[in-house]
Amino acid sequence: MKKSLFLMSSLILSTSIILSGCGKEGDETKKDDEPKKVQEEKGQEKDKVQKEEPKKDQESTKGSADFASLISYMEKETQGKTKVLFENNESQVHKMENVSISLDAYSVVELKDFHTDFNIPFNEENNGGVILAKYTVKNDMDKDVYYMPSLDVTFTGASKYYTNDKYLIPEEDQLPRKLSFETDYLIKAGEAVTGYIAYPFGETDLAKINELGTVSVMIPVPLAEKEKYDTTIGTEGRFNLALNTDGTKKVSSNSTFYQDKVTMDNMGEKKILKEKSDINESKKIGDVNATLEGYQFTKFTPNEVEAPRFSNFTNGVTLLTVKFKLENKATSEIGLSSMSSKLTVNGGMQYLLSEGMLLNYKPNDIIKAGENGELLQVFVLDQEQYEKIWKDKAFDIELGPIRNKGAEDTSKGKKETFTLPK
């Protein structure tokens, strides 16, 4: 990808970069010589606690999964030694219209000294770890849907996608077995399917993800008709999994940012410099109502893996992520990956083009005719110029024309300009 051009009245700068990119402690003491009344009162209090505790436990484990039997099976099957490193029972849900998938719980398990028969999925290493994840796919539509649970794991610097290993946990518990070619990937109307996936990591990769603190699960979309890939429902998504305490902080921090590729792929650290929400300025571009909802200026420090791709920004990087809502009143879809915009700065003396490679949109990510959806746009700014020249001046964004998923202009060249309010 080419770095956006900075046009100045006296100087034209052109630079290019490549972006890809919990035990309970109970201590009960009882004195036999206590007065009977005191003992009765304590007994009543104990009964009260025993009656209340189950309710408390039930609430605290909501959405939890029992991984113990799976871990025992894995330990026996591989002849290895296991140790639970981290667990999370907080559910995450991604909705695709009236179909939803939830990550109910997951467990990060160290697996060491296992039989060499199992070392291939562990990158030929005999020590490593496994992420065990419990998922539920629910169909709340009034018709059947088809869902292939290719819920692959990725992380910054990953050289491959990490998928389910069918030999590590019982076959009958695996989600990819319950939703497979043999079952036509079918989820009947009003039904839900729950199952597990086991993601193996060799010792080297386990160290990498523990250092990063997080990994992401890519969420595919369901189909309304069997094997008809133009009948997708909703949009793809991601689950962010914290793997340790630092990862938990990272996931929490990332949730405050717009979900561009930088955030979703954990490409580095963002720090809010300036933001504004609930702007709600609307303009019409052809048959589409475009509403500027908000923006975030962030200081961005790429991590070690991503740093070379931003090496030409020797003065640091500032990112501007802008959020639009598009109401598609046209007869054709809006192709999110085909949309682009231009940012004008410094009183019109310079401009930058939006960086599509810093967004997660794929060719099939669309806003259908008659529907509404979100559009993000990202710009990469030189941090020094932002701080010294631009930040106190107007930022104008020219959005359009509207394009379909084939990148064809459907708004007859129409564009609109929004000024970011201070």
Side-chain angles (χ1 to χ4, degrees):
M1 176 179 63
K2 294 181 179 179
K3 179 184 176 182
S4 305
L5 300 177
F6 294 77
L7 302 184
M8 304 183 68
S9 58
S10 58
L11 180 64
I12 299 177
L13 299 178
S14 177
T15 309
S16 61
I17 61 170
I18 299 176
L19 299 172
S20 9
C22 330
K24 294 183 178 178
E25 292 187 4
D27 183 15
E28 296 184 14
T29 59
K30 181 177 180 181
K31 295 181 180 179
D32 293 334
D33 58 346
E34 287 180 329
K36 182 177 180 181
K37 182 177 180 181
V38 174
Q39 292 185 24
E40 287 176 350
E41 289 177 350
K42 288 193 174 184
Q44 292 172 358
E45 186 66 25
K46 183 178 179 181
D47 288 342
K48 181 179 180 182
V49 172
Q50 287 175 338
K51 290 178 182 178
E52 291 177 348
E53 279 183 348
K55 182 177 180 181
K56 181 179 179 181
D57 290 344
Q58 185 177 11
E59 291 175 350
S60 65
T61 59
K62 184 178 181 181
S64 66
D66 182 10
F67 294 105
S69 61
L70 301 183
I71 295 172
S72 296
Y73 179 94
M74 183 168 60
E75 190 171 49
K76 181 179 179 181
E77 197 73 8
T78 65
Q79 300 177 31
K81 298 177 181 178
T82 61
K83 177 183 178 182
V84 175
L85 302 178
F86 188 80
E87 288 186 341
N88 191 307
N89 294 323
E90 294 183 8
S91 178
Q92 300 182 46
V93 181
H94 177 67
K95 294 184 177 180
M96 298 163 285
E97 296 182 13
N98 287 329
V99 180
S100 66
I101 179 167
S102 61
L103 171 61
D104 302 323
Y106 62 91
S107 181
V108 184
V109 184
E110 182 182 67
L111 181 62
K112 302 184 71 173
D113 194 28
F114 49 82
H115 197 287
T116 57
D117 286 349
F118 291 85
N119 66 9
I120 293 178
F122 292 87
N123 201 28
E124 304 289 348
E125 296 177 316
N126 287 105
N127 293 304
V130 178
I131 297 178
L132 297 173
K134 179 186 180 183
Y135 297 100
T136 298
V137 188
K138 188 177 182 182
N139 178 14
D140 286 325
M141 301 186 73
D142 57 3
K143 60 181 180 180
D144 299 345
V145 298
Y146 303 85
Y147 194 72
M148 182 183 295
S150 51
L151 297 153
D152 297 338
V153 163
T154 188
F155 57 88
T156 303
S159 59
K160 65 176 184 177
Y161 292 133
Y162 296 78
T163 62
N164 179 59
D165 186 278
K166 64 181 180 180
Y167 299 109
L168 293 175
I169 59 177
E171 189 175 8
E172 63 270 16
D173 292 328
Q174 299 175 27
L175 183 62
R177 181 60 179 168
K178 296 181 178 184
L179 293 173
S180 65
F181 177 79
E182 288 81 2
T183 65
D184 291 330
Y185 305 103
L186 173 66
I187 307 177
K188 294 183 179 181
E191 292 190 352
V193 178
T194 297
Y196 297 82
I197 291 182
Y199 303 98
F201 296 85
E203 188 172 28
T204 302
D205 285 347
L206 182 64
K208 287 181 183 178
I209 62 176
N210 274 328
E211 183 177 356
L212 287 170
T214 66
V215 297
S216 296
V217 174
M218 296 179 290
I219 307 171
V221 292
L223 301 177
E225 297 183 42
K226 181 182 176 182
E227 297 181 355
K228 290 191 177 182
Y229 300 100
D230 59 348
T231 64
T232 56
I233 300 171
T235 59
E236 296 177 343
R238 291 198 180 194
F239 290 134
N240 293 315
L241 283 65
L243 307 181
N244 47 43
T245 302
D246 289 341
T248 300
K249 295 177 182 178
K250 179 68 174 176
V251 169
S252 177
S253 174
N254 281 352
S255 67
T256 65
F257 300 115
Y258 291 150
Q259 300 299 293
D260 53 28
K261 191 176 183 68
V262 175
T263 299
M264 294 293 286
D265 285 5
N266 192 21
M267 296 173 69
E269 297 292 332
K270 278 184 173 183
K271 179 181 179 182
I272 289 287
L273 298 174
K274 183 180 180 181
E275 67 178 329
K276 194 172 185 65
S277 59
D278 300 323
I279 299 171
N280 298 326
E281 179 187 0
S282 297
K283 295 188 178 184
K284 191 174 182 180
I285 307 176
D287 292 324
V288 174
N289 288 334
T291 301
L292 172 62
E293 293 198 328
Y295 64 83
Q296 291 180 336
F297 284 96
T298 55
K299 179 180 180 181
F300 174 59
T301 305
N303 57 35
E304 184 178 353
V305 173
E306 301 293 343
R309 296 167 183 171
F310 293 87
S311 61
N312 288 323
F313 288 92
T314 56
N315 298 318
V317 178
T318 294
L319 298 178
L320 168 61
T321 306
V322 186
K323 181 181 178 181
F324 292 95
K325 175 184 177 183
L326 302 182
E327 298 178 73
N328 187 8
K329 297 185 177 182
T331 57
S332 60
E333 80 283 349
I334 299 173
L336 295 175
S337 65
S338 301
M339 292 294 296
S340 62
S341 55
K342 182 174 74 173
L343 178 71
T344 302
V345 298
N346 200 17
M349 297 176 64
Q350 300 164 271
Y351 74 81
L352 304 85
L353 300 179
S354 58
E355 302 286 3
M357 293 297 288
L358 292 182
L359 295 169
N360 287 306
Y361 300 135
K362 297 179 176 60
N364 287 330
D365 290 337
I366 63 173
I367 301 175
K368 296 178 181 178
E371 296 186 0
N372 304 334
E374 176 188 279
L375 172 70
L376 295 180
Q377 295 285 274
V378 180
F379 302 89
V380 184
L381 289 69
D382 178 275
Q383 184 179 331
E384 185 175 41
Q385 291 192 69
Y386 170 77
E387 292 289 347
K388 293 182 177 181
I389 304 173
W390 301 338
K391 71 177 183 179
D392 294 323
K393 297 184 179 181
F395 289 84
D396 295 324
I397 296 180
E398 181 185 82
L399 181 66
I402 303 298
R403 300 183 183 276
N404 61 20
K405 67 178 181 180
E408 297 171 324
D409 180 356
T410 61
S411 63
K412 300 180 181 180
K414 293 181 173 65
K415 305 174 182 179
E416 285 292 343
T417 299
F418 298 82
T419 298
L420 301 185
K422 294 182 179 180

